[in-house]
Amino acid sequence: PVMRTAQADPVLHPLPPTFTPLHWHQDVFALPAGAVSLASSAVTEHQAFRLGETTYGLLFHLEADHRQVTAMAQTFPDDVSRSGTPDERLLDPAPAASIAPMADAVLDRWVSLLH
């Protein structure tokens, strides 16, 4: 689970306080100078950040639908094995379906900042 840490962010505000997006890799990052942390998890201190008004960085994947996750798992089986996530959990279509409306809301809000 990922927890939103910035309650009033204009882009991530549609996300619930806690949600479970797709995590595909073990990459992590330090915040760039001047960035604001927006989300964290028990495993990763910075799951999302904003730098300035319109630059966002997300460690998790809101955009991946069930078809994409299935293709990724088939293409990169070693990544799935290293993750320790059971195939049935990773390939369950329900999580991607529940994240899709959140992804749409977040991306719509971000694009509106860019106009």
Side-chain angles (χ1 to χ4, degrees), residues 2-113:
V2 170
M3 287 73 62
R4 247 186 331 114
T5 55
Q7 302 308 315
D9 182 74
V11 170
L12 297 188
H13 181 72
L15 295 174
T18 302
F19 58 100
T20 304
L22 174 66
H23 293 270
W24 187 256
H25 45 73
Q26 302 302 317
D27 295 340
V28 296
F29 55 83
L31 287 181
V36 176
S37 184
L38 303 174
S40 67
S41 71
V43 177
T44 307
E45 181 181 6
H46 305 296
Q47 284 281 341
F49 69 88
R50 181 185 70 244
L51 182 61
E53 298 290 318
T54 59
T55 302
Y56 283 78
L58 305 178
L59 190 58
F60 50 85
H61 296 273
L62 289 175
E63 78 286 355
D65 63 20
H66 183 255
R67 182 188 57 75
Q68 292 166 322
V69 173
T70 300
M72 290 165 62
Q74 291 170 346
T75 304
F76 304 105
D78 291 344
D79 288 355
V80 176
S81 294
R82 279 193 300 275
S83 77
T85 302
D87 286 354
E88 62 275 5
R89 184 169 171 219
L90 180 65
L91 300 177
D92 180 355
S98 69
I99 290 292
M102 293 181 224
D104 290 344
V106 165
L107 294 173
D108 286 348
R109 291 174 76 99
W110 180 63
V111 167
S112 73
L113 289 178

